[in-house]
């Protein structure tokens, strides 16, 4: 069996928002891998650049003319070497020459081709024989911010985490139940509700943040009772989208409220306590490490997760670890470009006691790779939405992985 690369090709495809993105095929002597890149709407400032000047067409050209000739003849098993080569071929700090999404698609397609060459599932190829822990799915069930329009809430994502689920499939099904029940509750609260959804398949109703939180907690409690294990609420505030640097305030336009950093901190403390939140992502804007530190020191039993704050970047994470800013990190491989980079960040997080949450993006394709990365990297949580084919693609792949692992499958202990 050989994983020697024979060909690398790229094409332009469409994502769940109907935007263009890149897909890459890697063909080895005995295997095949295909990966496509997701894209964000609320991107962090410190993320790598997704595409070179000239967009997806130029990225495809770079694969054909610059990347493919260098990769052909190499062994797809040499992930680190190939990822380092992608950095060399790019030559910049932020992947602006070839594009971070180009690097992502090549890196993932190489990994899948190597796994396929040896007849291994991707999670086992990357994580080894001992990788057998499934993640808890963190599902977006109601949303607004940059993922919706009109009178949807200011806070970007209202999330459910089935913390008590004994298996992955039960957790995924509980999330679906919460989404469905919440739809009915929203219909009661908003008489004009049309069933509209945002980019990630979450309901996008005309509700204030507090109304949305009340409704979410009601749905979680009702489903917890029905399934016999606990489903809890969380948020992605995506506060960089609310932050107005001129006014030095967070603008909640839908709610008609402005909060300075001190008030934002108090508001976060208040809702974490009142709604027993287990997860809050980006409660402050992406440069406010200090407020992350303060909040993490003040709350118990709640993950304070950095997405735009860390952008999967190991240097930014180290800065956070030094001061204990947050206690959890979102891992989005295309925020840094390659698998090796994302793996290094995940390992650094785990060593420092930060819980890594592997994540989709708001613009997704039906690619399933992050399901395998969750298991291979040992991420106890995967954030991947609840509804929509591009979200279900990841959930269904995890259902298959759980089935393949059989008796060896485990759910992680969530301690926070
Ligand atoms: P994205 O962000 O729109 O950049 O994918 C989603 C998120 O903030 O988690
Ligand atoms: Zn986020």
């Amino acid at each position: 069996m050989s994983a020697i690369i024979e060909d690398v090709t790229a094409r332009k495809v469409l994502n769940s928002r109907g935007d263009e993105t890149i897909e890459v095929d890697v063909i080895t002597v005995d295997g095949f891998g295909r990966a496509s890149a997701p894209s964000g709407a609320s991107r962090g400032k410190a993320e790598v650049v997704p595409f070179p000047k000239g967009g997806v067409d130029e990225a495809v050209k770079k694969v054909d003319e610059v990347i493919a000739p260098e990769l052909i003849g190499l062994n797809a098993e040499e992930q680190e070497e190939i990822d380092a080569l992608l950095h060399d071929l790019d030559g910049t700090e932020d992947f602006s020459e070839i594009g971070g999404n180009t690097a992502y698609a090549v890196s993932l397609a190489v990994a899948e081709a190597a796994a396929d060459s040896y007849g291994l599932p991707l999670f086992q190829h990357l994580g080894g024989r001992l990788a057998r822990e499934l993640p808890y799915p963190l599902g977006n069930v109601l949303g607004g911010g940059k993922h919706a329009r009109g009178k949807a809430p200011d806070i970007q994502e209202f999330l459910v985490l089935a913390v008590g689920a004994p298996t992955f499939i039960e957790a995924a099904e509980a999330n679906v139940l919460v989404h469905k029940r919440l739809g009915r509750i929203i219909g009661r609260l908003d008489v004009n509700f049309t069933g509209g959804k945002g980019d990630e398949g979450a309901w996008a109703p005309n509700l204030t943040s507090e109304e949305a939180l009340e409704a979410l907690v009601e749905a979680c409690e009702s489903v917890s009772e029905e399934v016999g294990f606990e489903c809890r609420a969380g948020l992605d505030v995506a506060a960089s989208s609310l932050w107005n640097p001129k006014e030095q305030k967070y603008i909640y336009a839908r709610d008609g409220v402005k909060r300075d950093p001190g008030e934002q901190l108090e508001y976060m403390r208040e809702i974490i306590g009142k709604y027993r939140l287990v997860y809050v992502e980006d409660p402050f804007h992406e440069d406010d490490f200090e407020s992350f530190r303060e909040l993490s020191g003040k709350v118990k039993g709640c993950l304070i997760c950095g997405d735009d704050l860390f952008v999967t970047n190991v240097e930014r994470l180290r800065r956070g670890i030094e001061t204990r800013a947050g206690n959890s990190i979102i891992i989005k491989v295309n925020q840094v470009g390659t698998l090796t980079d994302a793996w290094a960040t995940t390992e650094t997080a785990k060593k420092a006691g930060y819980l890594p949450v592997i994540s989709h993006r708001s613009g997704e394709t039906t690619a399933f790779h992050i399901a395998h990365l969750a298991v291979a990297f040992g991420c106890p949580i995967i954030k991947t939405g609840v509804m929509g084919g591009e979200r279900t693609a990841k959930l269904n792949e995890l259902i298959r992985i759980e089935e393949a692992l059989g008796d060896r499958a485990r759910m992680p202990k969530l301690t926070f």
Side-chain angles (χ1 to χ4, degrees), residues 66-67 70 80-93 95 97-98 103 338 341:
V66 182
I67 300 171
E70 293 289 333
E80 281 163 289
E81 191 188 308
I82 288 172
D83 288 344
L85 180 61
L86 291 171
H87 276 289
D88 284 350
L89 292 173
D90 177 82
T92 68
E93 285 290 300
F95 269 125
E97 265 306 305
I98 64 169
T338 73
D341 290 295

Side-chain angles (χ1 to χ4, degrees), residues 40-43 147 156-157 236 281 307 332 361-362 383:
S42 65
R43 302 181 56 251
H147 293 171
Q156 183 177 283
E157 296 167 31
D236 181 359
E281 183 177 326
D307 172 13
K332 290 172 174 165
R361 304 221 56 163
S362 52
K383 189 181 179 216

Side-chain angles (χ1 to χ4, degrees), residues 289 309-310 312-322 325 328-329 331 344-350 352 354:
F289 281 78
L309 181 76
F310 297 133
T312 317
N313 177 305
V314 78
E315 296 307 326
R316 287 183 72 95
L317 173 62
R318 284 206 184 103
R319 191 175 149 200
I321 291 169
E322 266 166 35
S328 174
I329 177 175
I331 303 292
T345 306
T346 310
E347 284 300 297
T348 303
K350 288 199 283 190
Y354 276 53

